[in-house]
Amino acid sequence: MSAPASARPAAPSYAAVLRVPHARRTFTTALVGRLSYGTVPLSLLLATQRATGSYAASGAVLSLYGAAVVFLTPARATLVDRHGARRALFPLAIAHGALLCALAALTWRPGAPVPLIGAAAVLAGACAPPLGPTMRAVWSELLADRDLLRRAYSLDGVAEELLFVSGPALVGVLIAWTVPASGVLLGALLMVVGTAAFVTSPAMTGPRPRTAGGRRRGGVRGLVVPVAVAAGTGLALSGVELLVLAHVGEHSGDTDLVPWVLGALSVGSALGGLVNGAVDWRGSARSRLTGFAVALGLTIAVAGLAPGVLTLAGAMVAAGAFIAPTLTTAYLLADESAPASDRTRAGAWVNMAVNAGSSAGGLTTGALLGHLPLPLCFALTGATALASAGVAVVSGRRKDLAQA
């Protein structure tokens, strides 16, 4: 996967990123496919509940699907690095789309056995194309200038945030007119069409030649920091979602306000991502990542002291302002730590870490809520991001000592 590197423009900007040859087409088509990840989970949850009449079964099926998507991401990304995006992604998209169609057929009407639905969900998740990690690897090929690459990653992160907001909204509109399984079909269509257009972009050619020894700038060891911070961020964010629900319930009793408070978190993330890409940072990616993780942890911890829902929403905007910068910088650091032949896989490890953390955070926070005061739960949730920043500090000191 390669394309001509761009020369640095006089004034790097988001517009300059999109003016790079093939960037707009490649990015847009990747977003079409990635929108599937915003529509399928909710559709699958609702469709399975309708087909089985069981909330436990629908939750189990969604967990199986999510686990297969998350934990097999590095393996699928390795296929992309080894065989090239064109040869690896489209077969995965076809298989994924076909299995989503099978899931839609199974859940269209009540009566399908839960084990059969679960098996189809696992297989569908196992084949999900790693479009996000692949797009970030493409950005690295399109943009030789690191400042432009940082802006591209920020733009990518903000767009992904919007996809996960707009996807469920799209499902809501769709199921107002038809059955929830139609949302699963929509996800299949988006994935196949988007991936087909993505892999035919001129920016996509073939696999990168493998470097001698297969590593540069630390290789797997260099991924420890971005993966740890991504996991800590995921843990914190999924915990915050449950804590917001508990806080709103305790202070107002109107849980209809929860989506608005969580929306404030997304707004803050989008704004933070845009600012992060626009600022001409002087420090290293590692030092920025540490600072962003510390700021995220502290703002989450302080949010527990909010006296009301409006104050909490403001605190969520502040916390959200560090989400996209933290994850964007984690992806950048992973890209710097990996050889060109392993860029997709490196990004996939970060992607897996944040999603795995998100899966576990709700469980741990839920256990804490039953035994500890709410402000302390916020503080402990923020501490997970602070702990990941500590990993970055310790790793950096060890690296400095090794080079001394």
Side-chain angles (χ1 to χ4, degrees):
M1 152 176 44
S2 64
S6 66
R8 178 173 180 169
S13 64
Y14 290 113
V17 169
L18 296 176
R19 283 197 298 267
V20 171
H22 315 309
R24 278 177 292 185
R25 171 184 171 178
T26 310
F27 185 41
T28 301
T29 55
L31 290 179
V32 171
R34 290 159 77 179
L35 181 56
S36 175
Y37 292 124
T39 60
V40 169
L42 178 59
S43 299
L44 182 59
L45 180 71
L46 297 174
T48 304
Q49 196 282 326
R50 181 176 183 271
T52 63
S54 169
Y55 289 106
S58 58
V61 167
L62 184 61
S63 296
L64 289 171
Y65 173 79
V69 171
V70 170
F71 293 108
L72 292 178
T73 295
R76 297 190 299 270
T78 300
L79 294 177
V80 176
D81 282 330
R82 184 172 299 171
H83 302 291
R86 287 182 175 173
R87 294 177 61 186
L89 283 181
F90 192 60
L92 285 173
I94 291 296
H96 182 65
L99 287 161
L100 287 180
C101 289
L103 273 171
L106 287 170
T107 57
W108 199 271
R109 293 183 179 85
V114 173
L116 185 58
I117 299 174
V122 169
L123 292 175
C127 298
L131 294 183
T134 304
M135 185 64 233
R136 283 182 281 270
V138 172
W139 282 127
S140 293
E141 297 299 325
L142 287 172
L143 303 168
D145 182 87
R146 298 303 294 182
D147 285 337
L148 270 181
L149 182 60
R150 179 166 48 81
R151 284 163 173 78
Y153 272 37
S154 295
L155 183 64
D156 190 280
V158 171
E160 189 167 64
E161 184 83 32
L162 294 176
L163 290 182
F164 282 98
V165 172
S166 59
L170 184 59
V171 171
V173 172
L174 186 64
I175 64 176
W177 298 92
T178 183
V179 296
S182 62
V184 180
L185 285 180
L186 174 62
L189 178 64
L190 289 169
M191 181 60 75
V192 173
V193 171
T195 303
F198 179 55
V199 299
T200 55
S201 165
M204 316 289 284
T205 54
R208 293 284 298 176
R210 300 194 69 80
T211 57
R215 302 287 173 208
R216 74 164 189 184
R217 301 188 189 180
V220 171
R221 290 184 180 179
L223 293 179
V224 171
V225 170
V227 167
V229 173
T233 302
L235 279 165
L237 293 182
S238 61
V240 163
E241 293 177 355
L242 188 56
L243 291 173
V244 165
L245 175 63
H247 187 285
V248 172
E250 181 177 299
H251 286 79
S252 76
D254 185 2
T255 55
D256 289 344
L257 296 173
V258 171
W260 294 100
V261 178
L262 293 178
L265 188 73
S266 297
V267 168
S269 180
L271 292 175
L274 291 173
V275 171
N276 174 57
V279 172
D280 187 15
W281 298 103
R282 298 299 182 186
S284 67
R286 184 187 294 269
S287 62
R288 295 199 310 273
L289 182 61
T290 303
F292 289 144
V294 168
L296 176 63
L298 291 177
T299 51
I300 290 174
V302 171
L305 302 176
V309 175
L310 185 60
T311 311
L312 179 65
M316 288 298 101
V317 172
F322 300 105
I323 296 173
T326 301
L327 296 178
T328 295
T329 309
Y331 283 119
L332 278 170
L333 189 56
D335 180 80
E336 292 178 0
S337 303
S341 57
D342 288 333
R343 278 175 176 160
T344 309
R345 183 173 62 170
W349 276 104
V350 176
N351 185 270
M352 186 193 77
V354 67
N355 286 307
S358 295
S359 299
L363 293 174
T364 55
T365 303
L368 293 175
L369 274 172
H371 301 87
L372 298 175
L374 189 57
L376 182 56
C377 291
F378 270 94
L380 292 174
T381 300
T384 60
L386 293 174
S388 69
V391 172
V393 171
V394 171
S395 177
R397 288 179 178 174
R398 288 180 178 175
K399 183 178 179 181
D400 292 340
L401 289 173
Q403 293 175 345

